[in-house]
Amino acid sequence: MPLLVMKFGGTSVADLARIKNAAQKVKREVERGYDVIVIVSAMSGKTNELVGWVEQTSPLFDAREYDAVVSSGENVTAGLMALTLQEMEVPARSWQGWQVPIRTTSQHSAARFLEIPRENIDAKFAEGFKVAVVAGFQGMSPEGRITTLGRGGSDTTAVAFAAAFGAERCDIYTDVDGVYTTDPRIASKARKLEKIAYEEMLELASLGAKVLQTRSVELAMRYKVKLRVLSSFEDTDETSGTLVCDEEDIMESKVVSGVAYSRDEAKMTLVTVEDRPGVAAAIFGPLAEAGVNVDMIVQNISEKDYGSHPGSVTDMTFSCPINQVARARKALEDAKAAGTIVYDDLVVDTEVAKVSVVGIGMRSHAGVAATMFKALAADGVNIKVIATSEIKISVLIDRKYMELAVQALHDAFALETAN
């Protein structure tokens, strides 16, 4: 039988009524002739509640017990989904991670997949079961302990099962009806995309679009798993939602597919750093060890030294999430105290946002940067930092202009219209 993977997030299974709604969608696919693997998240809000209980009980908790507690939310949902399907006369059973077994690394709260054997679930399909309901977000370490996969782990679980079982497609049901050219709450002209390439979706996910988790898109791209994003709250058919697929499966696409933004960014500048081989490693090594997620990096000749000894010192600017500023500051100050790096001042701007345009068409079309910069200039938006890749251009701007910039770029590239 052809096989389909369906994943339902926390809002899609938030209560018994929504679980029943999701089960009806699963039953419809069974009636179309599919065997179905359903991946479920915990009911909305339950994971946060479980995390709170752990932290109240043991502030310096054992990570292994943390995973044992936090993973239980998905177990509840899986059992309830299986019971609901049985009431609909659909042969189904639930599976916890250790029962499959989903084999992962031992890194608790951030485990990675090692193997998903097919034998146990295939045997149940052979017996006449039509649906395997699997608790997402969890697995089993080589030591036999329960592990969890970190943020977005259920999305990643769904893609991993689709790859392991050779599924025809992996449908991700969420509270939005697809991937849009930008956030519809900011740009009213935002348009739902019928298809988007893996690389574009990966860039959008990493830049702040919260429709899909980055790891799940990476995995889908590696194993060529077709992903479909669609709403669990609407009637859907095989043409609904947005298909995330290989570039070759898209006949023609716009130069720019979408505009992404990240509101909570900070810009940090080290003033008058010695300009010598190895200085970048001396700066960003301690930041990496401190777990600071550095994004955009710009190096310039320092204004303090320009003209007297040009090139002997430099200014180094980088961006990072605003909630990591304190950690970054401490790492740099500790490195300075240890004599690893020398700088005059550390200037921090926490009132910036990142806005990006993304599109595989950039590879073969010139003028994207010019169009972007002209559109921002026309609306009086000053650019602080620029970073580019093969299919992306990102800029740091004052946060107060973020929504204006998104709207201006959406209009400049005419994203409200199809190809």
Side-chain angles (χ1 to χ4, degrees):
M1 300 292 289
L3 187 133
L4 196 66
V5 173
M6 304 173 71
K7 182 264 177 178
F8 294 95
T11 55
S12 302
V13 292
D15 52 38
L16 295 180
R18 290 190 178 180
I19 290 174
K20 185 175 181 180
N21 175 64
Q24 289 170 338
K25 294 182 182 297
V26 175
K27 181 181 180 180
R28 184 182 60 206
E29 299 298 347
V30 170
E31 291 171 344
R32 288 175 176 168
Y34 287 103
D35 286 340
V36 182
I37 296 175
V38 177
I39 309 296
V40 292
S41 298
M43 299 165 78
S44 183
K46 291 300 179 184
T47 299
N48 289 340
E49 182 179 42
L50 293 167
V51 169
W53 289 350
V54 170
E55 291 175 343
Q56 290 175 44
T57 302
S58 176
L60 300 175
F61 53 75
D62 180 337
R64 295 165 297 185
E65 301 304 339
Y66 171 94
D67 278 359
V69 173
V70 173
S71 64
S72 64
E74 281 73 15
N75 297 341
V76 172
T77 311
L80 291 171
M81 176 67 79
L83 286 171
T84 304
L85 287 164
Q86 290 171 10
E87 288 297 308
M88 295 177 177
E89 299 184 348
V90 177
R93 65 152 284 184
S94 65
W95 298 79
Q96 297 178 17
W98 64 270
Q99 293 173 307
V100 175
I102 302 171
R103 299 194 174 104
T104 73
T105 61
S106 300
Q107 191 177 2
H108 289 274
S109 301
R112 298 274 174 167
F113 290 107
L114 294 175
E115 183 186 13
I116 301 177
R118 296 181 49 159
E119 291 78 8
N120 290 340
I121 288 179
D122 278 343
K124 289 301 177 184
F125 282 141
E127 289 177 17
F129 281 84
K130 301 303 295 179
V131 180
V133 185
V134 179
F137 178 63
Q138 62 180 250
M140 184 178 71
S141 72
E143 297 79 23
R145 297 299 301 258
I146 294 171
T147 58
T148 61
L149 306 174
R151 181 179 175 273
S154 292
D155 279 0
T156 309
T157 304
V159 175
F161 268 82
F165 283 79
E168 184 176 302
R169 194 178 64 247
C170 178
D171 288 348
I172 306 291
Y173 284 86
T174 181
D175 52 2
V176 296
D177 61 349
V179 180
Y180 279 73
T181 49
T182 195
D183 188 340
R185 294 170 298 181
I186 289 181
S188 59
K189 297 178 183 178
R191 174 177 56 86
K192 183 168 69 69
L193 298 166
E194 291 184 10
K195 293 182 179 180
I196 186 170
Y198 295 122
E199 291 176 87
E200 293 173 320
M201 190 66 245
L202 188 58
E203 289 284 9
L204 290 172
S206 67
L207 291 167
K210 296 179 173 60
V211 179
L212 285 173
Q213 202 272 340
T214 306
R215 276 176 64 191
S216 67
V217 183
E218 289 173 345
L219 202 61
M221 184 165 63
R222 185 185 312 164
Y223 293 102
K224 304 299 182 185
V225 173
K226 289 186 176 181
L227 288 176
R228 190 171 63 145
V229 180
L230 62 174
S231 173
S232 59
F233 306 121
E234 296 180 2
D235 291 333
T236 56
D237 56 32
E238 293 183 344
T239 63
S240 300
T242 299
L243 186 67
V244 185
C245 56
D246 203 63
E247 183 178 341
E248 284 72 29
D249 294 328
I250 302 175
M251 294 295 293
E252 190 71 31
S253 62
K254 279 182 170 287
V255 177
V256 170
S257 294
V259 180
Y261 66 88
S262 177
R263 188 185 304 271
D264 298 321
E265 296 287 322
K267 179 170 74 76
M268 305 186 73
T269 301
L270 290 170
V271 180
T272 57
V273 179
E274 184 181 3
D275 191 7
R276 58 174 173 80
V279 69
I283 293 170
F284 296 108
L287 291 171
E289 291 172 6
V292 177
N293 184 21
V294 173
D295 183 18
M296 308 165 80
I297 302 172
V298 175
Q299 182 176 353
N300 289 311
I301 295 172
S302 176
E303 291 183 7
K304 289 188 177 182
D305 198 64
Y306 189 78
S308 56
H309 301 287
S312 62
V313 295
T314 183
D315 289 349
M316 188 76 77
T317 297
F318 63 91
S319 67
C320 68
I322 197 169
N323 61 3
Q324 296 180 8
V325 167
R327 195 185 310 168
R329 187 192 297 274
K330 185 178 186 306
L332 294 170
E333 290 175 349
D334 288 350
K336 182 179 182 180
T340 308
I341 54 175
V342 178
Y343 59 88
D344 283 356
D345 195 11
L346 176 59
V347 180
V348 180
D349 184 354
T350 57
E351 296 297 325
V352 296
K354 179 170 60 180
V355 178
S356 310
V357 295
V358 175
I360 53 176
M362 291 186 195
R363 291 190 183 124
S364 55
H365 289 77
V368 175
T371 300
M372 180 179 189
F373 301 155
K374 285 177 183 177
L376 295 175
D379 279 337
V381 179
N382 186 46
I383 298 171
K384 295 174 176 287
V385 178
I386 303 168
T388 65
S389 74
E390 193 176 26
I391 65 167
K392 173 195 73 178
I393 302 173
S394 296
V395 295
L396 276 188
I397 61 173
D398 287 329
R399 187 175 298 133
K400 63 183 178 181
Y401 295 122
M402 186 195 76
E403 294 190 8
L404 174 64
V406 170
Q407 292 168 351
L409 293 174
H410 198 274
D411 289 343
F413 291 103
L415 297 184
E416 71 276 7
T417 60
N419 296 332

